[in-house]
Amino acid sequence: MTPDPVPLCDINAQYRALKTEIDAAVLRVIGSGQAILGPEVAAFEGEAAAYCGADYAVGCGSGTDALVLALHALGVGPGDEVIVPPFTFFATASSVCRVGARPVFADIDPVTFNIDPAQIAAKVTGRTRAVIPVHLFGQCCDMDAIRLTAADHGLYVVEDAAQSLGAEYRGTRCGTLGEVACFSFYPTKNLGTLGDAGMVTTNDPGVAKTLRALRVHGSEVKYYHKYLGYNMRLDAVHAAMLRVKLPHVAGWLTRRQEAAGRYDALIEAQHLSGFVQRPVARPDRRHVFNQYVVRVPAAHRDPLVQHLKASGVGVEVYYPLALHQQECFQYLDYRTGDFPASEEATRTVLALPMFPEITAAQQERVVSVCSGYLRQRLRTAA
Ligand SMILES: *Cc1c(COP(=O)(O)O)cnc(C)c1O
């Protein structure tokens, strides 16, 4: 008998647990006749801002929208450069292009996978306007060093916190570690809806006001357009679902951390730590493990992925190609070899199943499938 498959992420587990409340919230929106923005969105914004410790939260259509709105609201545009890591989700860099600016890549710290502050300073020119530190996989960047560099050169700091709602840096939650922070509520994020949604947080009332205008075609008064804005609004049905889930995020993040600790212990116990490098959580941050990403020797990565998939274990490679190597960014004129830490990461990383409801038995299965692969390889090598 083959054991049950272990999914990479169980999207429906939260719905099963909160079905009564979520159904009621959705029906309330259906009955209200207010489909887009409105009181449900305003209420969510207030609750989410409070959770992040920010003065303002502005809901929008996705995490990608959040990045575009944030850059635009700060006045980043044509002729400007924005420093971003090449090892991140595509939208971190594409949003820079969307406002007419140029992404400039700075390599990552190979231990945390986050942008290396020393590399940022080396990439600053007279045209640099902002830097986007991405809190990858659930762990904040080295924000003190980044803020220092940003202050030295007069740069805005735009947090890409899409994967890291609830993560902390030296006791402060992400969301106020720069001028603005961008969040995603894509289904697999720490707080997810049943579709696309996002949010920008800030402590600057002027920026918040501009963000609110930009997301509705740049108008503060309907049909009078102050800015060349966008349709990047948050739907009430998503806000209603997110309001039901938000109070549960604290518990879910604790369970993610517990699951990460269990993986760590299992990898040690099965004597795999020479083969599987565990993620490193810095002691001055709270890593909330949106993903549990390990590294294995490059020659073993793809065969291990295949073995896990064939054994019914969900696995994913975040990310198989660095951004400076993407076809659409060839015009930026980078070469393979320019960002060795990012390129090495693309060859060695893999994400194991991680979600708050994952059970110890499921995790044991994942790790024993990994050790089964290694034993099989050692046998063929002998
Ligand atoms: C998910 C993600 C985004 C984009 O969010 P969407 O809601 O999918 O548009 C941006 N940056 C990072 C790092 C992400 O993981």
Side-chain angles (χ1 to χ4, degrees):
M1 202 184 86
T2 46
D4 286 340
V6 183
L8 181 67
C9 177
D10 185 353
I11 301 285
N12 268 329
Q14 294 176 357
Y15 178 60
R16 288 194 298 272
L18 300 171
K19 184 178 186 314
T20 313
E21 286 171 81
I22 289 176
D23 289 356
V26 170
L27 287 173
R28 184 177 70 230
V29 172
I30 293 171
S32 76
Q34 174 88 46
I36 300 167
L37 298 177
E40 202 70 58
V41 169
F44 171 67
E45 288 173 338
E47 290 155 13
Y51 178 83
C52 295
D55 290 345
Y56 306 95
V58 179
C60 58
S62 68
T64 307
D65 284 2
L67 287 160
V68 172
L69 288 170
L71 291 167
H72 193 146
L74 293 172
V76 176
D80 294 335
E81 294 175 355
V82 178
I83 297 175
V84 300
F87 186 67
T88 174
F89 181 62
F90 174 67
T92 311
S94 68
S95 60
V96 173
C97 307
R98 284 281 162 258
V99 298
R102 187 180 180 89
V104 171
F105 296 114
D107 210 355
I108 57 165
D109 164 6
V111 176
T112 61
F113 303 113
N114 281 334
I115 195 164
D116 179 348
Q119 299 291 327
I120 295 173
K123 299 293 174 178
V124 173
T125 73
R127 290 177 298 280
T128 314
R129 290 289 305 281
V131 54
I132 309 183
V134 181
H135 307 317
L136 206 65
F137 304 142
Q139 175 164 238
C140 288
C141 296
D142 190 354
M143 292 308 292
D144 280 354
I146 290 170
R147 271 195 307 229
L148 217 57
T149 303
D152 276 352
H153 300 279
L155 313 180
Y156 292 119
V157 176
V158 177
E159 294 177 78
D160 183 339
Q163 301 181 5
S164 292
L165 182 85
E168 292 171 18
Y169 176 78
R170 302 196 170 160
T172 304
R173 276 190 191 153
C174 62
T176 58
L177 300 171
E179 274 67 42
V180 288
C182 304
F183 293 89
S184 166
F185 305 118
Y186 182 81
T188 63
K189 310 285 170 144
N190 295 341
L191 171 62
T193 184
L194 211 66
D196 280 307
M199 168 179 87
V200 186
T201 57
T202 183
N203 282 342
D204 183 322
V207 170
K209 189 163 185 253
T210 310
L211 288 165
R212 284 186 202 289
L214 285 173
R215 74 174 167 179
V216 284
H217 304 288
S219 56
E220 284 166 354
V221 179
K222 209 170 182 184
Y223 305 123
Y224 292 81
H225 301 275
K226 183 169 178 178
Y227 312 108
L228 200 55
Y230 312 86
N231 176 356
M232 292 186 170
R233 298 172 295 219
L234 178 59
D235 295 333
V237 71
H238 294 305
M241 271 196 263
L242 292 166
R243 289 184 72 198
V244 173
K245 288 183 167 196
L246 184 62
H248 299 275
V249 165
W252 290 334
L253 296 184
T254 303
R255 261 168 263 158
R256 285 180 183 275
Q257 288 183 290
E258 287 165 359
R262 224 150 40 213
Y263 270 137
D264 287 348
L266 287 164
I267 289 167
E268 288 299 325
Q270 304 232 9
H271 307 291
L272 280 175
S273 48
F275 175 67
V276 176
Q277 257 177 275
R278 299 185 272 108
V280 175
R282 294 281 189 219
D284 60 347
R285 318 182 193 176
R286 181 180 183 215
H287 192 325
V288 293
F289 294 98
N290 179 250
Q291 300 293 339
Y292 186 89
V293 173
V294 300
R295 306 180 85 139
V296 295
H300 287 285
R301 202 271 307 275
D302 292 339
L304 177 58
V305 166
Q306 289 318 311
H307 181 81
L308 284 158
K309 284 185 177 164
S311 313
V313 173
V315 58
E316 191 57 85
V317 172
Y318 304 116
Y319 298 92
L321 191 64
L323 296 187
H324 67 287
Q325 300 173 301
Q326 299 288 346
E327 191 173 342
C328 70
F329 288 134
Q330 288 316 296
Y331 76 98
L332 295 172
D333 222 19
Y334 290 102
R335 277 177 193 77
T336 294
D338 284 347
F339 303 101
S342 293
E343 291 167 26
E344 176 70 5
T346 65
R347 289 190 292 264
T348 57
V349 292
L350 78 135
L352 298 178
M354 172 55 83
F355 45 95
E357 301 80 8
I358 194 167
T359 64
Q362 287 177 310
Q363 293 190 269
E364 279 159 29
R365 168 122 208 287
V366 171
V367 177
S368 45
V369 172
C370 291
S371 77
Y373 166 86
L374 189 60
R375 277 199 307 275
Q376 191 185 315
R377 279 295 158 131
L378 290 175
R379 230 178 297 128
T380 26

